[in-house]
């Protein structure tokens, strides 16, 4: 990864980049966030809208972020100023960095929960899982040290460089996660009463789609693919020219979407088999449902521990990418060293995460006393503003920047390098129409519709 020396470091190989970018994309967003957002937004119909967003908006947009990054060899702020110096567009880069800090702040809290749950099956066997979760997350002396520990691990990885440690691990561990998820899916769909869950998840009821659902699906798609705040600009900046951005980006989107859909298959059949109300779970959903599923499996405690180890690692590779964006900004644009940037940003973000850590029962005020835009609780407000609205806004502005200011011609030229004959003629033209018109328009319409309803 980046060093402070003049030579910009690059990924070792294509598979190295695909894994690192997939590692960024695959995380709590797929396994923790996707199921509960799906549940809150009506199930199957949400999934259809989500898939449409991935294919029609996120994929074309992903290529633009990668092209911007590889072309400029810079962080989001640097990439924008390299193309257009001294304009308000720089602020868009600033928004990216800020969004990174805030997503990281509450993401680290949930990562801490996952870390703590590695031991759950051993410390609390047989305890009703929703009761356990409520008291677990409400205890500041549990969640804060766990979040701190997780941040320290993230800091040490970003400090030491991703290539040697994380990339090598991810290669072995992510396939294990996939296999384990298949095992859990098998258990979940064979529980009595699970059919209703499959029905809820896979049979779309299109009457449930409204402006709220559209924004939630769009936001979830950006969040899951790590888009809208320049993470893929930063990761693209470490790519060599011979790399085929389209194929690599396509793989990342495919892996990410597969894991998210599988997470739904783990959760919904079990949820309905347990007779729970899908909309009521919220951020607690997987932490309440999965332990119950593990409890019905042979070697359940062991499987539970392994699962949460793997989930923590998936969260770690995502946290690394969030921190890397902010750190690469400070390394590229200020005189700070990598070490100083990593420690200051990591420490600051941890402190910013404290209110989120206390917002699941630790502090009554932060849990239920605050609300904004119809969202209650500090944690959910942060997730809504930064994990949803801000990503969509960032993507809107970056797609306008790439499509209109930098120009689709330049972007296309960058994408063509390394992609052979694959990206010429009609394919390229269709892509530029998506980037220039469809992406910004659709995002803007969903946005404006939502804001109009708010006021
Ligand atoms: N995509 C990650 C997940 O699904 C989270 C994440 C990492 C992210 N980097 C990001 C989200 C950048 C938005 C922007 O868990």
């Amino acid at each position: 990864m980046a060093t402070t020396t003049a030579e910009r470091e690059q990924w070792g190989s294509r598979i190295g980049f695909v894994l690192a970018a997939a590692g960024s994309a695959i995380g709590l967003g797929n396994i923790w966030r996707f199921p509960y957002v799906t549940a809150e937004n009506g199930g199957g119909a949400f999934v259809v809208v989500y898939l449409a967003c991935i294919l029609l908006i996120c994929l074309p947009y992903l290529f633009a972020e990668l092209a911007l990054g590889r072309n400029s060899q810079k962080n989001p702020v640097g990439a924008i100023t390299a193309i257009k110096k001294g304009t308000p567009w720089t602020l868009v880069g600033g928004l990216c960095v800020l969004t990174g800090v805030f997503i990281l702040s509450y993401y680290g809290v949930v990562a801490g929960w996952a870390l703590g749950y590695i031991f759950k099956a051993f410390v609390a066997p047989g305890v009703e899982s929703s009761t356990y979760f409520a008291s677990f997350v409400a205890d500041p002396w549990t969640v804060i040290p766990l979040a701190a520990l997780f941040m320290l691990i993230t800091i040490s990885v970003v400090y030491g460089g991703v290539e040697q440690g994380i990339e090598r691990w991810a290669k072995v561990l992510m396939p294990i996660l996939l296999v384990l998820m298949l095992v859990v899916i098998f258990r979940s769909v064979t529980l009595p009463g699970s059919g209703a869950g499959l029905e809820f998840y896979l049979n779309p009821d299109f009457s449930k789609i409204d402006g709220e659902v559209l924004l939630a699906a769009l936001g979830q798609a950006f969040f899951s693919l790590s888009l809208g705040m320049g993470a893929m600009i930063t990761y693209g900046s470490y790519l060599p020219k011979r790399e085929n951005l389209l194929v690599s980006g396509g793989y990342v989107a495919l892996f990410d979407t597969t894991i998210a859909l599988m997470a739904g298959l783990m959760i919904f059949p079990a949820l309905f088999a347990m007779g729970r109300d899908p909309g009521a779970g919220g951020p607690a959903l997987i932490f309440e449902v999965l332990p119950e599923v593990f409890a019905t499996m042979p070697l359940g405690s062991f499987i539970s521990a392994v699962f949460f180890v793997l989930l923590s690692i998936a969260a770690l590779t995502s946290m690394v990418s969030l921190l890397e964006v902010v750190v690469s900004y400070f390394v590229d644009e200020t005189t700070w060293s990598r070490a100083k940037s990593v420690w200051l940003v990591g420490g600051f973000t941890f402190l910013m995460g404290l209110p989120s850590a206390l917002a699941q029962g630790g502090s009554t005020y932060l849990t239920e006393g605050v609300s904004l835009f119809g969202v209650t609780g500090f944690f959910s407000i942060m997730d809504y503003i930064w994990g949803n609205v801000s990503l969509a806004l960032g993507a809107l502005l970056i797609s306008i920047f790439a499509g209109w200011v930098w120009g689709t011609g330049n972007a296309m030229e960058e994408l063509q390098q390394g992609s052979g004959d694959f990206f010429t003629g009609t394919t390229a033209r269709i892509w530029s129409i998506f980037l220039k018109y469809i992406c910004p328009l659709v995002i803007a319409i969903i946005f404006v519709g939502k804001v109009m309803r708010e006021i």
Side-chain angles (χ1 to χ4, degrees), residues 34-43 128-130 184-185 187-201 263-282 284-294:
F34 175 77
Y36 87 78
V37 176
T38 302
E40 280 173 352
N41 288 283
E128 221 254 299
S129 63
S130 49
V184 180
I185 289 173
R187 176 68 277 211
S188 186
V189 297
T190 50
L191 289 171
S194 61
L198 286 174
E199 168 84 17
F200 175 80
Y201 181 47
L265 283 177
M266 293 196 317
I267 299 297
F268 289 109
L271 184 71
F272 279 74
M274 288 154 57
R276 298 261 180 90
D277 169 16
L285 186 64
I286 69 155
F287 293 97
E288 294 182 352
V289 173
L290 287 178
E292 305 267 334
V293 181
F294 295 136

Side-chain angles (χ1 to χ4, degrees), residues 21-33 99-100 103 107 219-232 256 314-315 317-323 325 386-387 391:
S24 163
I26 298 169
L28 297 169
N30 307 58
I31 296 168
W32 159 74
R33 200 178 190 269
T99 307
I103 292 184
Y107 198 95
Q220 174 62 27
F222 284 126
F223 188 95
S224 192
L225 283 174
S226 303
L227 295 176
M229 56 141 290
M232 291 301 145
D256 185 71
T317 52
S318 299
M319 292 258 299
V320 163
S321 84
L322 284 159
L323 187 57
V325 172
W386 301 104
L391 292 178

Side-chain angles (χ1 to χ4, degrees), residues 33 95 99 102-103 106 372-373 375 378-393 447:
R33 200 178 190 269
L95 177 71
T99 307
F102 282 104
I103 292 184
Y106 68 85
L372 196 68
F373 310 124
V375 182
F378 188 83
F379 180 96
S380 304
I381 293 174
M382 292 294 277
D383 185 41
Y384 183 69
I385 296 179
W386 301 104
N388 212 340
V389 174
S390 178
L391 292 178
L393 183 64
F447 234 152

